[in-house]
Amino acid sequence: MDPADQERGPQRRCIVTGTVGPKDGMIRFAVAPDGELVPDLEERLPGRGLWLTAERPLLDKAVARNLFAKAARRAVRVPPDLAIRLTALLERRCLDTIGLARRAGQAVAGFEKVREALKGGRVGRPGTPPGLLLEARDGSADQRGKLQALAPALPVVDLFDSAALAAALGREHAVHAVVARGKLADGLARDAARLGGLADPDARPSVAGAGPGGRGN
């Protein structure tokens, strides 16, 4: 095994491509006692795990070709709304993590506060370096550009609208936020990457109604 792969964590085999890679880019599924396929985002359900690379075309292929049943070597009932259910679960996980970061003092929101955090390299009460930038997809492109220019190497998550971010952050309105480096930021980055890969290519993930674009907050 490539040492670089070992550094990226445990390896799993995708049931569609057969490729072995870091599990961070995959989704684990399990088969319930009644035979229904269940997304196991916590990776704790008993039984043999069925791993799938987090890409929408591969999920569609696995369903169309009955690959979950072939990998499990048993009859598997795949919910007809599996893709919708899975993306909704990932959306909820991302937003819950944002809320946890806010309550832990590891996230700040608002254009000025985010700019100060990026310029000073400190976020919230712990004074931890920034780990992830959150941008509402319906926000001002100009303000997004100004913030991203302050930390061009910082990962950016822009899957949610301003109303969804505001709800997660406990605010009336939110377009820009930054999460401190650490486990919460790492988990959010992982889940957001998986959500982005599994989202319908013709429709970005949508939770809550679109907020007014162009407002800086």
Side-chain angles (χ1 to χ4, degrees):
M1 182 182 296
D2 190 324
D5 288 338
Q6 290 181 321
E7 292 178 1
R8 288 194 292 268
Q11 308 284 295
R12 297 292 185 270
R13 185 182 301 276
C14 174
I15 66 169
V16 176
T17 67
T19 302
V20 175
K23 72 174 187 176
D24 276 359
M26 298 185 181
I27 301 289
R28 185 183 191 269
F29 294 85
V31 181
D34 64 0
E36 180 167 323
L37 186 72
V38 180
D40 180 22
L41 299 181
E42 296 287 345
E43 300 172 6
R44 295 176 181 174
L45 292 178
R48 180 184 179 188
L50 308 175
W51 294 84
L52 177 76
T53 302
E55 296 178 10
R56 182 59 177 267
L58 297 182
L59 177 62
D60 292 342
K61 185 175 181 179
V63 173
R65 298 191 179 182
N66 202 30
L67 297 182
F68 287 109
K70 292 178 181 178
R73 298 179 181 176
R74 57 167 292 184
V76 175
R77 186 171 71 258
V78 178
D81 62 345
L82 177 63
I84 295 173
R85 184 182 303 186
L86 182 54
T87 54
L89 287 171
L90 282 166
E91 288 175 359
R92 188 70 266 154
R93 277 175 65 90
C94 287
L95 294 171
D96 285 348
T97 301
I98 293 170
L100 283 173
R102 188 262 302 177
R103 292 190 292 275
Q106 296 180 28
V108 296
F111 181 82
E112 293 299 333
K113 288 185 178 180
V114 171
R115 182 171 65 176
E116 291 176 6
L118 296 178
K119 290 177 67 176
R122 297 168 61 86
V123 179
R125 293 193 298 271
T128 308
L132 190 70
L133 182 62
L134 300 171
E135 294 286 358
R137 64 171 182 254
D138 55 336
S140 164
D142 178 65
Q143 290 190 344
R144 288 178 55 167
K146 290 178 180 178
L147 292 178
Q148 290 177 39
L150 295 174
L154 198 66
V156 178
V157 172
D158 60 357
L159 297 174
F160 304 105
D161 60 30
S162 56
L165 282 183
L169 291 163
R171 296 167 60 94
E172 291 185 2
H173 187 72
V175 174
H176 317 282
V178 64
V179 180
R181 186 184 303 168
K183 292 180 64 176
L184 291 176
D186 291 344
L188 177 56
R190 180 194 181 197
D191 286 334
R194 295 191 295 176
L195 174 59
L198 288 166
D200 187 332
D202 297 323
R204 297 291 297 276
S206 178
V207 289
R215 291 174 57 184
N217 200 9

